[in-house]
Amino acid sequence: MDRRQFLLAGGGTVVALAGGTAVADATRADILADTELTRGEGEARIIAKTISRESVEYLEATNTIRENSHTHPFNTWARRECAEIGANEIVPVVDDRLETTVAGVGSGVRYLIFGPVITVDHTVTRDRDGSIVNEPNVTLEQLISVAPRTITVTVTLAGQLLTTEFPVGVGHNEVSID
């Protein structure tokens, strides 16, 4: 193989890998591959929050945030803040769509191959004998049908803003207590 063929083959491989990664990111193949999560099927949700906590200060000269004596680049801080807001808002979104207050359902953020996923967690608690002690007042299927497919969160602080879209995954787990 001469140099030109080698470079063309290598370039084709890079393009194929980049395209595959772009498709996987768009479909969030990492969620599909995670046996514990099912992608939400409900309508997407958009949330915007202005941050006004006194413990958070925007430093314009360096485009950083000072929070609790720690300094972070604005984009890093804002992405983390968006994920936290999304996780905090997802259960109220589900409550609203089901027109009831759900019990036994939690939320969180999981970090998969292609990035963070906001989760809705359907949790059944069993005692040491396997009997159900606590379970959600809604079915897993109900959660999957109303949980948004994506949640887009915008945070604003001192005129700076960042918008991040997160896929939503619904999971089921069972825990035992002793």
Side-chain angles (χ1 to χ4, degrees):
M1 175 184 292
D2 68 12
R3 183 172 188 251
R4 179 175 288 181
Q5 288 175 320
F6 177 76
L7 290 174
L8 287 173
T13 301
V14 169
V15 169
L17 286 173
T21 301
V23 169
D25 192 34
T27 62
R28 287 307 299 257
D30 55 345
I31 297 172
L32 298 174
D34 188 321
T35 58
E36 296 177 9
L37 291 177
T38 302
R39 189 78 183 257
E41 297 173 351
E43 184 178 327
R45 183 62 165 243
I46 298 171
I47 297 171
K49 293 277 185 178
T50 299
I51 307 302
S52 57
R53 296 188 302 266
E54 288 185 22
S55 62
V56 180
E57 178 186 6
Y58 177 68
L59 306 171
E60 186 175 358
T62 56
N63 193 32
T64 58
I65 301 298
R66 183 181 306 140
E67 182 175 32
N68 301 325
S69 306
H70 295 91
T71 304
H72 309 280
F74 175 78
N75 286 348
T76 302
W77 172 86
R79 279 190 198 97
R80 192 172 38 241
E81 192 74 17
C82 284
E84 186 176 312
I85 290 167
N88 288 336
E89 294 291 328
I90 196 69
V91 172
V93 168
V94 169
D95 284 352
D96 185 51
R97 291 180 177 182
L98 290 173
E99 297 178 350
T100 188
T101 301
V102 296
V105 175
S107 64
V109 180
R110 284 195 198 173
Y111 292 87
L112 301 179
I113 295 168
F114 294 110
V117 175
I118 304 299
T119 63
V120 179
D121 305 310
H122 184 271
T123 303
V124 173
T125 306
R126 296 181 181 273
D127 63 17
R128 72 176 77 185
D129 299 324
S131 299
I132 294 176
V133 175
N134 193 18
E135 66 182 324
N137 61 345
V138 295
T139 66
L140 180 63
E141 291 74 22
Q142 286 175 301
L143 288 177
I144 292 168
S145 70
V146 300
R149 185 162 176 74
T150 60
I151 187 164
T152 303
V153 182
T154 300
V155 295
T156 305
L157 174 69
Q160 301 299 309
L161 65 94
L162 182 94
T163 300
T164 306
E165 181 179 273
F166 301 96
V168 176
V170 180
H172 173 79
N173 61 23
E174 298 201 13
V175 295
S176 296
I177 57 172
D178 290 327

